[in-house]
Structures are given as C-alpha cells and as structure tokens.
Amino acid sequence: MRLIEGLSIGLSAIRANKMRSLLTMLGIIIGVAAVLAMIAIGDGAKIIVLKDAQKLGGANQFTMYRTSYKREGGRWIRIRSNEYMEYEDVLAIEAECPSVKAVTPRIPDWKGLLIQTADGTETRAGYNGVDAAYPIAMDWDVQEGRFITDEDVENSTKICVLGEEVVTELFGDKSPLGQEIKIAKGSGRYDRWGRRDSKRSTERFTVVGTMMPRGRSLRFGWSYDNLVFIPISTVQERFTGDNRIQDIVVYAHTVADVPKAIEEVKTVIRKRHKGDDKFVGIFEMRSGMAQLEKISKMIKIALGSIAGFSLLVGGIGIMNMMLVAVSERTREIGLRKALGAKPFDILAQFLMEAIVICSVGGAIGVGLGMFAGEGMAMLAVKIAKIVPEWPAVVSTQWVLISVSFSAVIGILFGLYPAVKASALSPIEALRTE
C-alpha cells in the first residue's frame, strides 16, 4: 500500500467522523500541549537564571570571603584566626595561578550610603570598592566617561563611577560627569545599649563615569544599577580605616577550570598566610548552576510522566476508535480482500489511519502548547513580579520529539485493531450485515 494513499485514507476517516476523531485525539492534544507548555516555561526560567548568573560575572567565577564560621561534619565550627585578605593577595593570585583568567577585589556595602548633590538632591545606594580589573572581569561596559584606573587605586583618588539608577535619581537626564557628590556612610557600630551609631563619615567625590544598565540580582536581591563604584584603596582610607579586603572574586578560564583554580588560589593563600586557609570561605557560582541542572531534569522527568499518562489515555481512546472502525467497516474489508487486497494492505490501511490521527493530534497539541506557553509566561510575569519578561522557549527538538512520540503511540495502539482487520476472512466479512 502506497504511503500517499494511506495518508489520504487516514484523513478521509477523520473527516468522516469529525467529532469522534476529535474526542479520540483529545488525550494526545492535551498531553503534547502540556509537555511543550511546561518545557517552554521551565527552559525560560533556566534562561532567566543563566542571565542572572551572567550579571554576577558568569558560572566560571568563585568568590573568596573572610569567614568566622565553617560547616564541618554537619556542624558549624568557629574559625579562630587573626588572618585576613589584603590587596597583595590579589596580586599574588594574578601572578601565580595559571588557571585564573581575572581576579578583582571588592569591599561591598549594598545599601549603606546617603548620596547628595550640590543642589541638595539625595538618594540612598550602596557602594563597591573595586579596582581597574572590575569591569573587564564582570564583562560590564562603561556608558559614559571612564572607569577606575590603576593610578586611582595607587593614589587613593576621590573619584567615583555611578550606576544608572543613581544617575537618574540624582541628575535625571543631565550628564553627571565632572559633578561633585557627597557620600555619607554610617559607622555601622552599636553602642552599649544596642543602638546603631548614627555618626557618619562624609566625603566628597568627583563623578568620572557611568555604567551601562545591569539590572537586579534575583539571587541576592540587590540592584547593580543602584551602586557607586569607588577605588578600593579610597574605601579603605576613607571608610573602613584598614587594609582588609572583604571579598576577592576570581574568574577561571572556563567552568571546567574552576576546581583547579580553587586549589591554586588556596595554595597561594596558605603560602601568604602562615599555612592557614581556613579563614577563607568560598562561594562557587558553578555549584548553583549544577543545582539548577538537577532541578531542570527533575521537572522534565515529572512533566514527562504526567504527559505519558495523558498520551496513554489518548492511545487507549485511539485503540477503541479503531476497533469500532474495524467493526463498522467489516464489509469494506471483505470487499477489498475479494478484489485482491493482501492482509498486509489491510493492516497498513488501519495502522496508517491510527498514525494519521495521532500525528494530527500531536500537531494540534504543538500549536496549542506554543500558545499556552506564551500565555503562561505572561501570567508568570504578573504573578511572580520578579522579572520584566519571562521567555517561553519552545525548542525544535521537543516539537519533533512530541510529534514523533504521537506517531509511536499511533503505531502501538493501532497495531492490534489493524492486525484484527487483516485477519478477517473475506467470505465472513462479506456476509456481515
């Protein structure tokens, strides 16, 4: 039996029993649509998380920080060490770690500043004390002016670079370059009654640049656009009063190089700090991404199981419909056999009808799944309100898998009715009323 003829007969069977065919295909349609819609939302969420990781510098980075506690053997242990990180550690890591692509120090305060302009306009923001390597390591471009230079760090100059939100709050549409701003930082200490010290150190800084919009971190909650960037040596001299560095952010050449880079950095820290590296905690972006992959796989397995049940129900419906069709068309089968049709021709005819019904249902399910995915993405933005847009990602791979799986369902559940039709005796079939 020719393929074109089989497809024509299958489509004719659907047109002859439109309502019955639609109800039969409903399980296939719902199953395929559900899978594609959920996969589209899940892959969209994955893209959002990947973009958020990119805001932090990418999955090939890890952050070293001064810690007083570490978890060992299921419990927290106090780290009694007088060591702390300093700028010379950054220089040593750059020079001695071949797996490291870039390294940048950071002294952060995410929301502790009061910033004022000469005309009295003020806003609250955070600051990052950084060096010249920061925008290169973060792959973050300057929008206007320039960033901090090595000379600024060496000379502890009182200059700053503003994030977009700070620029908008203080200067509106005007350029802030060359303008002077006052930055007031609280001491952060508490008195003996537990009240926060209200004393503030106020410094004047000249704006030399602004950064491109970066957005808010979903993981940590702060906005990179609501930050002021200051030379790290200036922060130490004017705000912290010591040479300590709170964070060192290290970037390996690739994600695969991260474990090796961590060992190299630990070796440098031990060499520079009397064999002690316990005072340094390490946060790996890579571990968070690996957890994301596990969650994504679990979601896909769960969705696949749910869709499998829907497709199983749809397959049973198709088998039922094809058995009814065999009963209704017994005389037709007998006539075809009497005219010379072979059992294989009859089997191929009914099997093709089942495959066509499932494939049409799968195609409708693909269209419905794409539409449902877009609708659920819009709904997710309104409900979650954590991102301005939620991409609905429908991959060609999953579309092909869905349609192919629908065809396989047609073969599996259409095989028994097709075999039953092909085994009918032509004489008994022609006698059937």
Side-chain angles (χ1 to χ4, degrees):
M1 185 179 181
R2 292 178 299 178
L3 180 62
I4 301 298
E5 183 183 353
L7 291 173
S8 178
I9 293 173
L11 292 172
S12 297
I14 294 176
R15 286 195 298 269
N17 300 280
K18 296 183 181 67
M19 184 56 69
R20 188 170 69 184
S21 298
L22 179 60
L23 293 175
T24 303
M25 292 187 294
L26 200 56
I28 301 292
I29 293 171
I30 292 173
V32 171
V35 169
L36 285 182
M38 292 297 105
I39 291 295
I41 292 297
D43 285 350
K46 186 176 178 180
I47 287 176
I48 290 172
V49 175
L50 288 172
K51 286 182 177 179
D52 189 60
Q54 199 60 40
K55 290 177 187 176
L56 296 171
N60 64 323
Q61 65 147 304
F62 58 93
T63 302
M64 304 164 55
Y65 57 93
R66 177 67 169 84
T67 182
S68 298
Y69 290 89
K70 276 192 176 180
R71 192 172 180 83
E72 293 183 6
R75 61 193 185 93
W76 290 98
I77 296 177
R78 183 175 177 82
I79 305 300
R80 301 183 183 278
S81 174
N82 295 324
E83 298 295 315
Y84 55 87
M85 294 184 292
E86 52 193 6
Y87 196 69
E88 285 71 20
D89 293 328
V90 176
L91 301 178
I93 291 169
E94 284 180 336
E96 301 176 30
C97 299
S99 298
V100 172
K101 179 179 71 172
V103 55
T104 182
R106 183 176 64 193
I107 300 177
D109 186 331
W110 299 106
K111 53 184 178 181
L113 301 182
L114 177 65
I115 306 173
Q116 292 180 325
T117 61
D119 62 4
T121 305
E122 65 179 42
T123 187
R124 290 192 174 273
Y127 75 79
N128 272 195
V130 296
D131 66 358
Y134 182 80
I136 300 170
M138 289 285 286
D139 191 22
W140 192 0
D141 294 331
V142 173
Q143 185 174 47
E144 187 181 11
R146 67 173 179 87
F147 198 72
I148 296 163
T149 64
D150 291 329
E151 289 75 15
D152 293 325
V153 175
E154 184 179 348
N155 298 319
S156 303
T157 56
K158 295 174 66 176
I159 56 97
C160 65
V161 180
L162 307 182
E164 186 191 40
E165 287 182 21
V166 180
V167 173
T168 303
E169 289 289 331
L170 294 178
F171 301 98
D173 297 331
K174 299 178 181 178
S175 173
L177 296 188
Q179 299 294 320
E180 188 177 81
I181 60 173
K182 289 191 294 184
I183 297 179
K185 183 185 185 312
S187 68
R189 298 186 179 90
Y190 292 85
D191 61 21
R192 59 180 178 175
W193 294 282
R195 295 176 302 191
R196 195 172 183 87
D197 188 358
S198 60
K199 294 180 180 178
R200 289 185 176 272
S201 57
T202 302
E203 300 288 344
R204 296 178 183 273
F205 291 84
T206 301
V207 179
V208 297
T210 64
M211 302 300 291
M212 294 291 290
R214 190 76 166 188
R216 183 175 296 276
S217 167
L218 298 178
R219 188 182 185 97
F220 300 106
W222 61 68
S223 172
Y224 281 92
D225 298 329
N226 196 39
L227 291 176
V228 177
F229 299 95
I230 305 171
I232 192 165
S233 55
T234 307
V235 171
Q236 291 173 330
E237 183 178 309
R238 302 289 175 174
F239 292 144
T240 64
D242 56 47
N243 66 338
R244 300 184 181 189
I245 291 178
Q246 185 172 332
D247 297 338
I248 298 178
V249 186
V250 182
Y251 298 81
H253 289 287
T254 65
V255 176
D257 288 334
V258 169
K260 187 177 179 182
I262 289 175
E263 291 306 316
E264 292 173 355
V265 167
K266 284 183 176 180
T267 300
V268 171
I269 294 296
R270 284 194 294 268
K271 185 169 69 173
R272 289 187 44 77
H273 295 273
K274 307 172 185 176
D276 183 11
D277 66 357
K278 293 185 179 296
F279 69 98
V280 176
I282 294 178
F283 169 75
E284 290 186 60
M285 185 64 66
R286 183 178 62 114
S287 60
M289 303 309 296
Q291 189 67 24
L292 172 65
E293 288 293 335
K294 290 180 181 179
I295 294 172
S296 178
K297 287 180 181 177
M298 290 176 62
I299 290 173
K300 288 180 180 178
I301 290 171
L303 291 173
S305 302
I306 295 170
F309 282 113
S310 299
L311 293 172
L312 178 63
V313 172
I316 293 171
I318 286 170
M319 181 184 287
N320 181 59
M321 176 184 172
M322 296 310 298
L323 287 171
V324 172
V326 170
S327 300
E328 289 179 346
R329 295 155 63 186
T330 303
R331 286 181 62 82
E332 176 192 330
I333 295 168
L335 182 60
R336 292 197 65 194
K337 282 195 169 186
L339 293 175
K342 297 177 182 178
F344 177 77
D345 295 324
I346 303 300
L347 184 145
Q349 174 190 342
F350 282 89
L351 193 58
M352 186 61 72
E353 287 184 23
I355 294 172
V356 168
I357 289 173
C358 280
S359 298
V360 171
I364 295 173
V366 167
L368 184 61
M370 290 180 177
F371 179 77
E374 292 289 344
M376 291 175 67
M378 293 174 62
L379 190 63
V381 171
K382 292 183 179 180
I383 293 176
K385 295 181 180 178
I386 56 174
V387 288
E389 61 177 355
W390 193 303
V393 183
V394 179
S395 65
T396 305
Q397 176 188 0
W398 277 101
V399 170
L400 294 175
I401 289 174
S402 300
V403 176
S404 301
F405 194 59
S406 301
V408 170
I409 289 290
I411 293 172
L412 293 178
F413 287 90
L415 190 59
Y416 173 68
V419 170
K420 184 177 179 181
S422 67
L424 285 174
S425 168
I427 296 175
E428 292 180 4
L430 288 170
R431 286 177 178 173
T432 304
E433 295 294 334

